[in-house]
Amino acid sequence: MAIHTLLFASLLIFSLIPSSREGNKGRLFSVLQNSLDVTVLEAGKDMVTIKWKLKSSGKVDADATFKTIQVKLCYAPISQVDRPWRKTHNELFKDKTCPHEIVSKPYDKTPQSLDWTVDLDIPTGTYFVRAYGIDGDGQEVAYGQSSDEGRTKNLFSVQAISGGHVSLDIASILFSVFSVVSLLVFFVKEKKKAKLEQRE
Amino acid sequence: MGDPTGEPGSSMHGVTGREQSFAFSVASPIVHTDKTAKFDLPVDTEHKATVFKLFSFSKPHMRTFHLSWISFSTCFVSTFAAAPLVPIIRENLNLTKQDIGNAGVASVSGSIFSRLVMGAVCDLLGPRYGCAFLVMLSAPTVFSMSFVSGAAGFITVRFMIGFCLATFVSCQYWMSTMFNSQIIGLVNGTAAGWGNMGGGITQLLMPVVYEIIRRAGASAFTAWRIAFFVPGWLHIIMGILVLTLGQDLPDGNRAALEKAGEVAKDKFGKIMWYAVTNYRTWIFVLLYGYSMGVELSTDNVIAEYFFDRFHLKLHTAGLIAACFGMANFFARPAGGWASDFSAKYFGMRGRLWTLWIIQTAGGLFCVWLGRANTLVTAVVAMVLFSLGAQAACGATFAIVPFVSRRALGIISGLTGAGGNFGSGLTQLLFFSTNQFTTEEGLTWMGVMIVGCTLPVAFIHFPQWGSMFLPPSKDPVKSTEEHYYASEWTEQEKQKNMHQGSLRFAENAKSEGGRRVRSAATPPDSTPNNV
């Protein structure tokens, strides 16, 4: 009972920490300006080259409020089917389209380029890249993405690692065999012992 | 209550939190203590312990208790080990919501069959080997998680691991060989509750193990596979401990051979008939599906739910999910105790109302959990839901022993299977499709709990009445003897096969409530202390 109360109490304390971070709820994706130009080029077996710059067709001082640029890897709609944990929401704090951060750096008004090696924990799927322009308060003010508005063009796919290793498979088989064999050895030994003792 | 000769069904006495004779020790004068036996605990003439000393490891009785509940708990750990790691596994194996839901259904379906077979296995090999065989032969299924590369493999492996939940049967069976039937209620209930705790322990254990392996340098998609080695090793360790430290009977292992043929076994077909034709059996199958069943379903979905809905870290979600399963430590026994307490004043009617109130409350808290929008409310609702569902499990098995004396074993088995079936059904309906989000699924599951608990009102005993109706006025039908003896044919009664049922009926008179208790105490009833 005491352990349970302790767990529950520490749980309440844990829970108070994240709830204080929900200050900027309600920020919508649809209010963001599409003022960034993002392009993605496949550059090797596990690398992509990402380029971003301010759109020349937009307002001259569209980037006045940018303090940070955050570039993220996002799921294309086809990779979101039947997977509600990747769902697109208009509220930015709820939106799960872009869970993987590629880079977050201070905003430099010049066009940028990055060669990014795809992380080992990126799942198999179809993706595009989105960049958010973030102001001094940590709020998103603008975005740009490598795909179109419907997120159907210029997509690229990633084939993930399986996570399996030969050494893992071997260890797995060894322990399984050990389990079965030691059981049978015990069983046979005890039966033999019982037979011997019965004869006495 | 119950009888010391070990007739079919007596091993299933309890599975409740506490039975009528709720006691840590046997105080009945009819149980003779064998003073010549040299055991650490006082024992009866069969050398079964008459005292339940929780924090002792004395050989063989308490040692058996601890080996037994820990083995059962280990199987819960491995059956639900995937659940808290689903956020990682779903990305590695490219799973859809349907795949995850189907795997959850598969994890609880296997044991419906394995539990039915396990009784026969224990009869053949004894509970010690039954437990060891199951635990050690299911270790390979746990290790085979490292080979899984897609949805089909994941579902198959979870199905195979689920078979090991049949250790529930070996656990209860083994307890009944070691503990006198007067205290078997509390012993079995504690063992069952603490075993179920494994479903909570795993929610915390697996994310922590995963985190450690990650920090040691493994990539995410490898780390979760390595993490599965931990429950696999637990299987092997527990199997070896059971084989080396355990024994089938208080006097040793080979005595089983000598005992064969001593007890006249009842016919399986007959027992099955009486179990299946008693309508109360089916109501309890349904009820348990919505107390134990929803507990198992929640074990499978709750960690992922907290991870996704409230943007928590994996081990934080695991900690919260663990609180759900760990509440079993006291919630299940508390449910049984509440049932016994209400029976003291209101008899069987009190037990039925207690069950209905607790299970319905659990359902309402489940609805609240689905509708909770902040983390704190969700956690509070989840904890209250866990108390309701698990206490309802205890309260269910506080009544099941009274449904039938002759067919108790099969009815308990059917009720247990109903739990797993209910779990598979709720996961299939609410958590495997795109029709409901997980929070909607939880809400509707809560509504279904409330609806499926209503049939408690239909459970009527002619000798004790029901929730709303009084006992029968007929002078013959309103006796306990008539109800329990009616399970035997005239020919069987002539052979005096029904004596156990008559003894049980005598002891069961206290279910009439206060008015019966105030009458002269029958000479061989146990005093209700504590």
Side-chain angles (χ1 to χ4, degrees), chain A residues 4 7 11-12 14-15 82-86 93 96 120-124 161-165 168-169 171-173 175-176 178-179 182-183 186-187 190 194 197, chain B residues 90-92 94-98 100 128-129 133 136 139-140 143 146-147 214 219-222 225-226 229 233 236 243-244 254 308 319-320 375-376 379 434:
Chain A
H4 185 79
L7 266 175
L11 183 49
L12 278 179
F14 270 117
S15 64
D82 287 335
R83 292 175 176 84
W85 59 90
R86 296 179 183 172
F93 84 97
K96 308 235 179 116
L120 287 172
D121 60 358
I122 301 295
T124 302
I161 60 164
S162 72
H165 283 280
L168 213 59
D169 296 343
S172 178
I173 294 174
F175 282 114
S176 303
F178 173 72
S179 185
S182 53
L183 172 71
F186 258 101
F187 189 66
E190 264 202 19
E197 284 177 16
Chain B
R90 68 190 178 193
E91 306 297 16
N92 189 188
N94 214 10
L95 303 176
T96 61
K97 183 171 183 185
Q98 288 84 336
I100 298 171
R128 176 173 149 255
Y129 270 120
F133 261 79
M136 294 189 88
F143 287 117
S146 62
F147 295 106
R214 273 280 264 164
S219 68
F221 293 170
T222 308
R225 294 167 190 272
I226 302 176
F229 275 68
W233 290 331
I236 298 180
L243 286 171
T244 52
R254 292 166 298 112
D308 287 332
L319 175 64
I320 297 173
L375 182 61
V376 177
V379 171
N434 285 322

Coordinates of all heavy atoms in Angstrom, one line a residue, chain A residues 4 7 11-12 14-15 82-86 93 96 120-124 161-165 168-169 171-173 175-176 178-179 182-183 186-187 190 194 197, chain B residues 90-92 94-98 100 128-129 133 136 139-140 143 146-147 214 219-222 225-226 229 233 236 243-244 254 308 319-320 375-376 379 434:
Chain A
H4 N 2.6 1.8 -3.3 CA 1.6 2.4 -4.3 C 1.4 3.9 -4.1 O 1.3 4.6 -5.0 CB 0.3 1.6 -4.2 CG -0.7 2.0 -5.2 ND1 -0.6 1.5 -6.5 CD2 -1.7 2.8 -5.2 CE1 -1.6 2.0 -7.2 NE2 -2.3 2.9 -6.4
L7 N 4.4 5.7 -5.3 CA 4.4 5.7 -6.8 C 3.5 6.8 -7.3 O 3.8 7.6 -8.2 CB 4.0 4.4 -7.4 CG 5.1 3.4 -7.7 CD1 4.5 2.1 -8.2 CD2 6.0 3.9 -8.8
L11 N 4.3 10.3 -9.2 CA 3.7 10.4 -10.5 C 3.0 11.8 -10.6 O 3.1 12.4 -11.6 CB 2.6 9.3 -10.5 CG 1.8 9.2 -11.7 CD1 2.7 9.1 -12.9 CD2 1.0 7.9 -11.6
L12 N 2.3 12.2 -9.6 CA 1.7 13.5 -9.6 C 2.8 14.6 -9.8 O 2.6 15.6 -10.5 CB 0.9 13.8 -8.3 CG -0.5 13.2 -8.2 CD1 -1.1 13.5 -6.9 CD2 -1.3 13.8 -9.3
F14 N 5.7 14.2 -11.2 CA 6.2 14.2 -12.6 C 5.2 14.9 -13.6 O 5.6 15.5 -14.5 CB 6.2 12.7 -13.1 CG 7.5 12.0 -12.8 CD1 7.6 10.9 -12.0 CD2 8.6 12.4 -13.5 CE1 8.8 10.3 -11.8 CE2 9.8 11.8 -13.3 CZ 9.9 10.7 -12.4
S15 N 3.9 14.7 -13.3 CA 2.9 15.2 -14.2 C 2.8 16.7 -14.2 O 2.4 17.3 -15.2 CB 1.6 14.6 -13.9 OG 1.2 15.0 -12.6
D82 N -3.6 4.6 -41.5 CA -3.7 3.6 -40.5 C -2.7 3.7 -39.3 O -2.4 2.8 -38.6 CB -3.6 2.1 -41.0 CG -4.8 1.7 -41.8 OD1 -5.9 2.3 -41.6 OD2 -4.7 0.9 -42.7
R83 N -2.2 4.9 -39.2 CA -1.2 5.1 -38.2 C -1.5 6.4 -37.4 O -0.9 7.5 -37.7 CB 0.2 5.2 -38.8 CG 0.7 3.9 -39.3 CD 2.0 4.0 -40.0 NE 2.5 2.7 -40.4 CZ 2.2 2.1 -41.6 NH1 1.3 2.7 -42.4 NH2 2.7 0.9 -41.9
P84 N -2.5 6.4 -36.5 CA -3.0 7.7 -35.9 C -1.9 8.4 -35.1 O -2.0 9.6 -34.8 CB -4.1 7.2 -35.0 CG -4.0 5.7 -34.9 CD -3.3 5.3 -36.1
W85 N -0.8 7.7 -34.8 CA 0.3 8.4 -34.0 C 1.1 9.3 -35.0 O 2.0 10.0 -34.5 CB 1.2 7.4 -33.3 CG 1.8 6.4 -34.2 CD1 3.1 6.6 -34.8 CD2 1.3 5.2 -34.6 NE1 3.3 5.4 -35.6 CE2 2.3 4.6 -35.4 CE3 0.2 4.5 -34.3 CZ2 2.1 3.3 -36.0 CZ3 0.0 3.2 -34.9 CH2 0.9 2.7 -35.7
R86 N 0.8 9.3 -36.3 CA 1.5 10.2 -37.2 C 0.6 11.2 -37.8 O 0.9 11.8 -38.8 CB 2.1 9.4 -38.3 CG 3.2 8.4 -37.9 CD 3.7 7.6 -39.1 NE 4.7 6.6 -38.7 CZ 5.2 5.7 -39.5 NH1 4.8 5.7 -40.8 NH2 6.1 4.8 -39.1
F93 N 0.8 22.1 -31.6 CA 1.3 21.3 -30.5 C 0.8 19.9 -30.6 O 1.3 19.0 -30.0 CB 0.9 21.9 -29.2 CG -0.5 21.6 -28.7 CD1 -0.7 20.6 -27.8 CD2 -1.6 22.3 -29.2 CE1 -2.0 20.2 -27.4 CE2 -2.9 21.9 -28.8 CZ -3.1 20.9 -27.8
K96 N 1.5 15.7 -35.5 CA 2.5 14.7 -35.4 C 3.1 14.4 -36.8 O 3.8 13.3 -36.9 CB 1.9 13.4 -34.8 CG 1.1 13.6 -33.6 CD 1.5 12.8 -32.5 CE 0.7 13.0 -31.2 NZ -0.1 12.0 -30.8
L120 N 19.6 6.1 -37.6 CA 19.3 4.7 -37.5 C 17.9 4.4 -37.1 O 17.3 3.3 -37.3 CB 20.3 4.0 -36.6 CG 21.7 3.8 -37.2 CD1 22.6 3.3 -36.2 CD2 21.7 3.0 -38.5
D121 N 17.3 5.4 -36.3 CA 15.9 5.0 -35.8 C 14.8 5.7 -36.6 O 13.7 5.8 -36.2 CB 15.8 5.5 -34.3 CG 16.0 7.0 -34.1 OD1 16.3 7.7 -35.1 OD2 15.9 7.4 -33.0
I122 N 15.1 6.0 -37.9 CA 14.1 6.5 -38.8 C 13.4 5.3 -39.4 O 14.1 4.4 -40.0 CB 14.6 7.4 -39.9 CG1 15.4 8.6 -39.3 CG2 13.6 7.9 -40.9 CD1 14.5 9.6 -38.5
P123 N 12.1 5.2 -39.3 CA 11.4 4.0 -39.8 C 11.3 4.0 -41.3 O 11.4 5.1 -42.0 CB 10.0 4.1 -39.2 CG 9.8 5.4 -38.6 CD 11.2 6.1 -38.5
T124 N 11.0 2.9 -41.9 CA 10.7 2.8 -43.3 C 9.5 3.6 -43.7 O 8.5 3.6 -43.0 CB 10.4 1.3 -43.7 OG1 11.5 0.5 -43.3 CG2 10.1 1.1 -45.2
I161 N 16.8 0.3 -41.2 CA 17.5 -1.0 -40.8 C 16.5 -1.9 -40.1 O 15.5 -1.5 -39.6 CB 18.7 -0.6 -39.8 CG1 18.2 0.0 -38.6 CG2 19.7 0.2 -40.5 CD1 19.2 0.0 -37.4
S162 N 16.9 -3.2 -40.1 CA 15.9 -4.1 -39.6 C 16.1 -4.2 -38.0 O 15.2 -4.5 -37.3 CB 16.2 -5.5 -40.1 OG 17.4 -6.0 -39.6
G163 N 17.3 -3.8 -37.6 CA 17.5 -3.9 -36.1 C 18.0 -5.3 -35.7 O 18.4 -5.5 -34.6
G164 N 17.9 -6.2 -36.6 CA 18.4 -7.6 -36.2 C 19.9 -7.7 -36.5 O 20.4 -7.0 -37.3
H165 N 20.5 -8.6 -35.8 CA 21.9 -8.9 -36.0 C 22.1 -10.4 -35.9 O 21.4 -11.0 -35.2 CB 22.8 -8.2 -34.9 CG 22.9 -6.8 -35.1 ND1 23.9 -6.2 -35.9 CD2 22.3 -5.7 -34.5 CE1 23.8 -4.9 -35.9 NE2 22.9 -4.6 -35.0
L168 N 22.7 -11.5 -32.4 CA 21.5 -11.6 -31.6 C 20.7 -12.9 -31.9 O 20.2 -13.5 -31.0 CB 20.6 -10.4 -32.0 CG 19.7 -9.8 -31.0 CD1 20.5 -9.3 -29.8 CD2 18.9 -8.6 -31.6
D169 N 20.6 -13.2 -33.2 CA 19.9 -14.4 -33.5 C 20.6 -15.7 -32.9 O 19.9 -16.6 -32.4 CB 19.9 -14.6 -35.1 CG 19.1 -13.5 -35.7 OD1 18.3 -12.8 -35.0 OD2 19.3 -13.3 -36.9
A171 N 22.5 -15.8 -30.2 CA 22.3 -15.8 -28.7 C 20.9 -16.3 -28.4 O 20.7 -17.1 -27.5 CB 22.5 -14.3 -28.2
S172 N 19.9 -15.8 -29.2 CA 18.5 -16.2 -29.0 C 18.4 -17.7 -29.2 O 17.8 -18.4 -28.3 CB 17.7 -15.5 -30.1 OG 16.4 -15.8 -30.0
I173 N 19.0 -18.3 -30.2 CA 18.9 -19.7 -30.4 C 19.6 -20.5 -29.3 O 19.1 -21.5 -28.7 CB 19.5 -20.1 -31.8 CG1 18.7 -19.5 -32.9 CG2 19.6 -21.6 -31.9 CD1 19.3 -19.7 -34.3
F175 N 20.1 -19.6 -26.1 CA 19.4 -19.6 -24.9 C 18.1 -20.5 -25.0 O 17.7 -21.2 -24.0 CB 19.0 -18.2 -24.4 CG 20.1 -17.4 -23.8 CD1 20.6 -16.3 -24.5 CD2 20.6 -17.8 -22.6 CE1 21.7 -15.6 -23.9 CE2 21.7 -17.1 -22.0 CZ 22.2 -16.0 -22.7
S176 N 17.5 -20.5 -26.1 CA 16.3 -21.3 -26.3 C 16.6 -22.8 -26.2 O 16.0 -23.6 -25.5 CB 15.7 -21.1 -27.7 OG 15.4 -19.7 -27.9
F178 N 19.2 -24.0 -24.7 CA 19.6 -24.3 -23.3 C 18.4 -24.6 -22.4 O 18.3 -25.5 -21.6 CB 20.4 -23.1 -22.7 CG 20.7 -23.2 -21.3 CD1 21.6 -24.1 -20.8 CD2 20.0 -22.4 -20.4 CE1 21.8 -24.2 -19.4 CE2 20.2 -22.5 -19.0 CZ 21.1 -23.4 -18.5
S179 N 17.3 -23.7 -22.6 CA 16.1 -23.9 -21.8 C 15.5 -25.3 -22.0 O 15.2 -26.0 -21.1 CB 15.1 -22.8 -22.3 OG 14.0 -22.8 -21.4
S182 N 18.0 -28.2 -20.8 CA 18.1 -28.4 -19.4 C 16.9 -28.9 -18.7 O 16.9 -29.7 -17.8 CB 18.5 -27.0 -18.7 OG 17.6 -26.0 -19.1
L183 N 15.7 -28.5 -19.3 CA 14.4 -29.1 -18.8 C 14.4 -30.6 -19.0 O 14.1 -31.4 -18.1 CB 13.3 -28.4 -19.5 CG 11.9 -29.1 -19.2 CD1 11.5 -28.7 -17.8 CD2 10.8 -28.6 -20.2
F186 N 16.9 -32.5 -16.7 CA 16.4 -32.6 -15.3 C 15.3 -33.7 -15.2 O 15.3 -34.5 -14.3 CB 15.6 -31.3 -14.9 CG 16.4 -30.4 -14.1 CD1 17.1 -29.3 -14.6 CD2 16.5 -30.6 -12.7 CE1 17.8 -28.4 -13.8 CE2 17.2 -29.7 -11.9 CZ 17.9 -28.7 -12.4
F187 N 14.4 -33.7 -16.2 CA 13.3 -34.6 -16.2 C 13.8 -36.0 -16.2 O 13.4 -36.9 -15.4 CB 12.4 -34.3 -17.4 CG 11.1 -35.0 -17.4 CD1 10.1 -34.7 -16.5 CD2 10.8 -35.9 -18.4 CE1 8.9 -35.4 -16.5 CE2 9.6 -36.6 -18.4 CZ 8.6 -36.3 -17.5
E190 N 15.6 -37.1 -13.0 CA 14.8 -37.3 -11.9 C 14.0 -38.6 -12.0 O 13.8 -39.4 -11.1 CB 13.8 -36.2 -11.7 CG 14.3 -35.2 -10.6 CD 13.3 -34.4 -10.0 OE1 12.1 -34.8 -10.1 OE2 13.6 -33.3 -9.4
A194 N 14.2 -41.7 -9.5 CA 12.9 -42.3 -8.9 C 12.9 -43.8 -9.2 O 12.5 -44.5 -8.3 CB 11.7 -41.6 -9.5
E197 N 15.3 -45.5 -6.9 CA 14.9 -45.6 -5.5 C 13.7 -46.5 -5.3 O 13.5 -47.1 -4.2 CB 14.6 -44.1 -5.0 CG 15.8 -43.3 -4.7 CD 15.5 -41.9 -4.3 OE1 14.3 -41.6 -4.0 OE2 16.4 -41.1 -4.4
Chain B
R90 N 6.5 -0.4 -33.3 CA 5.6 -0.1 -34.5 C 6.4 0.6 -35.6 O 6.1 0.5 -36.8 CB 4.4 0.7 -34.0 CG 4.8 2.1 -33.6 CD 3.6 2.8 -32.9 NE 4.0 4.2 -32.5 CZ 3.3 4.9 -31.6 NH1 2.1 4.5 -31.2 NH2 3.7 6.1 -31.3
E91 N 7.5 1.3 -35.2 CA 8.3 2.0 -36.2 C 9.2 1.0 -36.9 O 9.5 1.1 -38.1 CB 9.1 3.2 -35.6 CG 8.2 4.2 -34.8 CD 7.2 4.9 -35.7 OE1 6.9 4.5 -36.8 OE2 6.7 5.9 -35.2
N92 N 9.8 0.1 -36.1 CA 10.7 -0.9 -36.6 C 10.1 -1.8 -37.6 O 10.6 -2.2 -38.6 CB 11.4 -1.6 -35.5 CG 12.5 -2.5 -35.9 OD1 13.0 -3.3 -35.1 ND2 13.0 -2.4 -37.1
N94 N 7.1 -1.4 -39.0 CA 6.1 -0.7 -39.9 C 4.7 -1.2 -39.7 O 4.0 -1.5 -40.6 CB 6.5 -1.0 -41.4 CG 6.2 0.2 -42.2 OD1 5.9 1.3 -41.7 ND2 6.3 0.0 -43.5
L95 N 4.3 -1.2 -38.4 CA 3.0 -1.7 -38.1 C 1.9 -0.7 -38.3 O 2.1 0.5 -38.1 CB 2.9 -2.2 -36.6 CG 4.0 -3.2 -36.2 CD1 3.9 -3.5 -34.7 CD2 3.8 -4.5 -36.9
T96 N 0.7 -1.1 -38.6 CA -0.5 -0.3 -38.6 C -1.2 -0.4 -37.3 O -0.9 -1.3 -36.5 CB -1.4 -0.6 -39.8 OG1 -1.9 -1.9 -39.6 CG2 -0.7 -0.5 -41.1
K97 N -2.2 0.4 -37.1 CA -3.0 0.3 -35.9 C -3.7 -1.1 -35.8 O -3.7 -1.7 -34.7 CB -4.1 1.4 -35.8 CG -4.9 1.3 -34.6 CD -5.8 2.5 -34.4 CE -6.5 2.4 -33.1 NZ -7.4 3.4 -32.8
Q98 N -4.1 -1.6 -36.9 CA -4.8 -2.9 -37.0 C -3.8 -4.0 -36.5 O -4.1 -4.9 -35.8 CB -5.3 -3.3 -38.4 CG -6.5 -2.5 -38.8 CD -6.1 -1.1 -39.4 OE1 -5.1 -0.6 -39.1 NE2 -7.0 -0.6 -40.2
I100 N -1.2 -3.7 -34.6 CA -0.9 -3.6 -33.1 C -2.1 -4.2 -32.4 O -2.0 -5.0 -31.4 CB -0.7 -2.1 -32.7 CG1 0.5 -1.6 -33.4 CG2 -0.6 -2.0 -31.2 CD1 0.7 -0.1 -33.3
R128 N 4.4 -29.2 -10.3 CA 5.8 -28.7 -10.3 C 6.3 -28.8 -11.8 O 6.9 -27.9 -12.3 CB 6.7 -29.5 -9.4 CG 8.1 -29.1 -9.4 CD 8.8 -29.9 -8.3 NE 10.2 -30.2 -8.6 CZ 10.6 -31.4 -9.0 NH1 9.8 -32.4 -9.0 NH2 11.8 -31.6 -9.3
Y129 N 6.2 -30.0 -12.3 CA 6.6 -30.2 -13.7 C 5.7 -29.4 -14.7 O 6.2 -28.9 -15.7 CB 6.7 -31.7 -14.1 CG 8.0 -32.3 -13.8 CD1 8.2 -33.3 -13.0 CD2 9.1 -31.7 -14.4 CE1 9.4 -33.9 -12.7 CE2 10.4 -32.3 -14.2 CZ 10.5 -33.3 -13.3 OH 11.8 -33.9 -13.0
F133 N 7.6 -27.1 -17.1 CA 7.5 -27.4 -18.5 C 7.1 -26.2 -19.3 O 7.6 -25.7 -20.3 CB 6.6 -28.6 -18.8 CG 7.3 -29.9 -19.0 CD1 7.8 -30.6 -17.9 CD2 7.5 -30.3 -20.3 CE1 8.5 -31.8 -18.1 CE2 8.2 -31.5 -20.5 CZ 8.7 -32.3 -19.4
M136 N 9.7 -23.2 -19.1 CA 10.9 -23.3 -19.9 C 10.7 -23.6 -21.3 O 11.5 -23.2 -22.2 CB 11.7 -24.5 -19.2 CG 12.2 -24.1 -17.9 SD 13.4 -25.2 -17.1 CE 14.9 -24.5 -17.8
A139 N 10.1 -20.2 -23.0 CA 11.2 -19.3 -23.1 C 11.7 -19.1 -24.6 O 11.9 -17.9 -25.0 CB 12.4 -19.8 -22.3
P140 N 11.8 -20.1 -25.4 CA 12.1 -19.9 -26.8 C 11.2 -18.9 -27.5 O 11.6 -18.2 -28.4 CB 12.0 -21.3 -27.4 CG 12.3 -22.2 -26.3 CD 11.7 -21.6 -25.1
F143 N 12.4 -15.5 -26.7 CA 13.6 -15.2 -27.4 C 13.4 -15.0 -28.9 O 14.1 -14.2 -29.5 CB 14.7 -16.3 -27.2 CG 15.2 -16.3 -25.8 CD1 15.0 -17.4 -24.9 CD2 16.0 -15.3 -25.3 CE1 15.6 -17.4 -23.7 CE2 16.5 -15.3 -24.0 CZ 16.3 -16.4 -23.2
S146 N 13.5 -11.7 -31.3 CA 14.7 -11.0 -31.9 C 14.6 -11.3 -33.4 O 15.3 -10.6 -34.2 CB 16.0 -11.5 -31.3 OG 16.1 -12.9 -31.5
F147 N 13.9 -12.3 -33.9 CA 13.8 -12.6 -35.3 C 12.7 -11.9 -36.1 O 12.7 -11.9 -37.3 CB 13.6 -14.1 -35.5 CG 14.6 -15.0 -35.0 CD1 14.5 -15.7 -33.8 CD2 15.8 -15.2 -35.7 CE1 15.5 -16.6 -33.4 CE2 16.8 -16.0 -35.2 CZ 16.7 -16.7 -34.1
R214 N 20.0 1.2 -24.8 CA 20.2 2.3 -25.7 C 21.4 3.1 -25.3 O 22.2 3.5 -26.1 CB 19.0 3.3 -25.7 CG 17.9 2.9 -26.6 CD 18.2 3.3 -28.0 NE 17.6 4.6 -28.3 CZ 17.9 5.3 -29.4 NH1 18.8 4.9 -30.2 NH2 17.3 6.4 -29.6
S219 N 21.3 0.8 -31.3 CA 20.3 1.6 -31.9 C 18.9 1.2 -31.4 O 18.8 0.1 -30.9 CB 20.4 1.5 -33.4 OG 20.0 0.2 -33.8
A220 N 18.0 2.1 -31.6 CA 16.6 1.9 -31.1 C 16.1 0.5 -31.5 O 15.5 -0.2 -30.8 CB 15.7 3.0 -31.5
F221 N 16.2 0.2 -32.9 CA 15.6 -0.9 -33.4 C 16.2 -2.2 -33.0 O 15.7 -3.3 -33.2 CB 15.5 -0.9 -35.0 CG 14.6 0.2 -35.5 CD1 14.6 0.6 -36.8 CD2 13.8 0.9 -34.6 CE1 13.8 1.6 -37.3 CE2 12.9 2.0 -35.1 CZ 13.0 2.3 -36.4
T222 N 17.5 -2.1 -32.5 CA 18.1 -3.3 -31.9 C 17.9 -3.4 -30.4 O 17.7 -4.5 -29.9 CB 19.6 -3.2 -32.2 OG1 19.9 -3.0 -33.6 CG2 20.3 -4.5 -31.8
R225 N 14.9 -5.4 -29.2 CA 15.0 -6.8 -29.3 C 15.9 -7.4 -28.2 O 15.6 -8.5 -27.7 CB 15.6 -7.1 -30.7 CG 14.7 -6.7 -31.9 CD 15.5 -6.8 -33.2 NE 14.7 -6.2 -34.2 CZ 13.9 -6.8 -35.0 NH1 13.7 -8.1 -34.8 NH2 13.2 -6.2 -36.0
I226 N 16.9 -6.7 -27.9 CA 17.8 -7.2 -26.8 C 17.0 -7.2 -25.5 O 17.2 -8.1 -24.6 CB 19.1 -6.3 -26.7 CG1 19.8 -6.4 -28.0 CG2 20.0 -6.8 -25.5 CD1 21.1 -5.5 -28.0
F229 N 15.4 -10.2 -24.1 CA 16.1 -11.3 -23.4 C 15.9 -11.4 -21.9 O 16.0 -12.4 -21.3 CB 17.6 -11.1 -23.7 CG 18.1 -11.7 -25.0 CD1 17.7 -11.1 -26.2 CD2 18.9 -12.8 -25.1 CE1 18.1 -11.6 -27.4 CE2 19.3 -13.3 -26.3 CZ 18.9 -12.7 -27.5
W233 N 15.2 -14.7 -19.9 CA 16.1 -15.2 -18.9 C 15.3 -15.5 -17.6 O 15.5 -16.5 -16.9 CB 17.2 -14.2 -18.5 CG 18.2 -14.1 -19.6 CD1 18.6 -15.1 -20.5 CD2 19.0 -13.0 -19.9 NE1 19.6 -14.6 -21.4 CE2 19.8 -13.3 -21.0 CE3 19.1 -11.7 -19.4 CZ2 20.7 -12.4 -21.6 CZ3 20.0 -10.8 -20.0 CH2 20.8 -11.1 -21.0
I236 N 13.8 -18.9 -17.8 CA 14.8 -19.9 -17.6 C 15.1 -20.0 -16.1 O 15.1 -21.1 -15.5 CB 16.1 -19.7 -18.4 CG1 15.8 -19.7 -19.9 CG2 17.1 -20.8 -18.0 CD1 17.0 -19.5 -20.7
L243 N 12.3 -26.3 -10.6 CA 12.8 -27.7 -10.6 C 13.7 -28.1 -9.5 O 13.6 -29.2 -8.9 CB 13.5 -28.0 -11.9 CG 12.6 -28.1 -13.2 CD1 13.5 -28.1 -14.4 CD2 11.7 -29.3 -13.1
T244 N 14.5 -27.2 -9.0 CA 15.5 -27.6 -8.0 C 15.0 -27.3 -6.6 O 15.3 -28.1 -5.7 CB 16.8 -26.8 -8.2 OG1 16.5 -25.4 -8.3 CG2 17.6 -27.2 -9.4
R254 N 7.7 -38.2 -5.0 CA 7.3 -39.4 -5.6 C 6.0 -39.9 -4.9 O 5.4 -40.9 -5.4 CB 8.4 -40.5 -5.4 CG 9.6 -40.2 -6.2 CD 10.8 -41.1 -5.8 NE 11.2 -40.7 -4.4 CZ 11.0 -41.6 -3.4 NH1 10.5 -42.8 -3.6 NH2 11.4 -41.3 -2.2
D308 N 1.4 8.5 -26.6 CA 0.9 9.3 -27.7 C 0.1 10.5 -27.3 O 0.3 11.6 -27.8 CB 0.1 8.4 -28.6 CG 0.9 7.4 -29.4 OD1 2.1 7.7 -29.7 OD2 0.4 6.3 -29.8
L319 N 5.9 4.1 -16.4 CA 5.7 4.2 -15.0 C 4.2 4.4 -14.7 O 3.6 3.7 -13.8 CB 6.4 5.5 -14.4 CG 6.2 5.8 -13.0 CD1 6.7 4.7 -12.1 CD2 6.9 7.2 -12.7
I320 N 3.5 5.2 -15.5 CA 2.1 5.4 -15.3 C 1.3 4.1 -15.5 O 0.5 3.6 -14.8 CB 1.5 6.5 -16.2 CG1 2.2 7.8 -15.8 CG2 0.0 6.6 -16.1 CD1 1.9 8.9 -16.8
L375 N -3.3 15.3 -18.2 CA -2.5 14.1 -17.7 C -3.0 13.8 -16.3 O -3.2 12.6 -16.0 CB -1.0 14.4 -17.7 CG -0.1 13.3 -17.3 CD1 -0.3 12.1 -18.2 CD2 1.3 13.8 -17.3
V376 N -3.1 14.7 -15.4 CA -3.5 14.4 -14.0 C -4.8 13.7 -13.9 O -5.0 12.7 -13.2 CB -3.4 15.7 -13.2 CG1 -3.8 15.4 -11.7 CG2 -2.0 16.3 -13.2
V379 N -4.6 10.2 -15.1 CA -3.9 9.3 -14.2 C -4.8 8.9 -13.0 O -5.0 7.7 -12.7 CB -2.6 9.9 -13.7 CG1 -2.0 9.0 -12.5 CG2 -1.6 10.0 -14.8
N434 N -9.7 1.8 -37.2 CA -9.6 3.2 -37.3 C -10.9 3.9 -36.9 O -11.0 5.1 -36.9 CB -9.3 3.6 -38.7 CG -7.9 3.4 -39.0 OD1 -7.0 3.5 -38.2 ND2 -7.6 2.9 -40.3

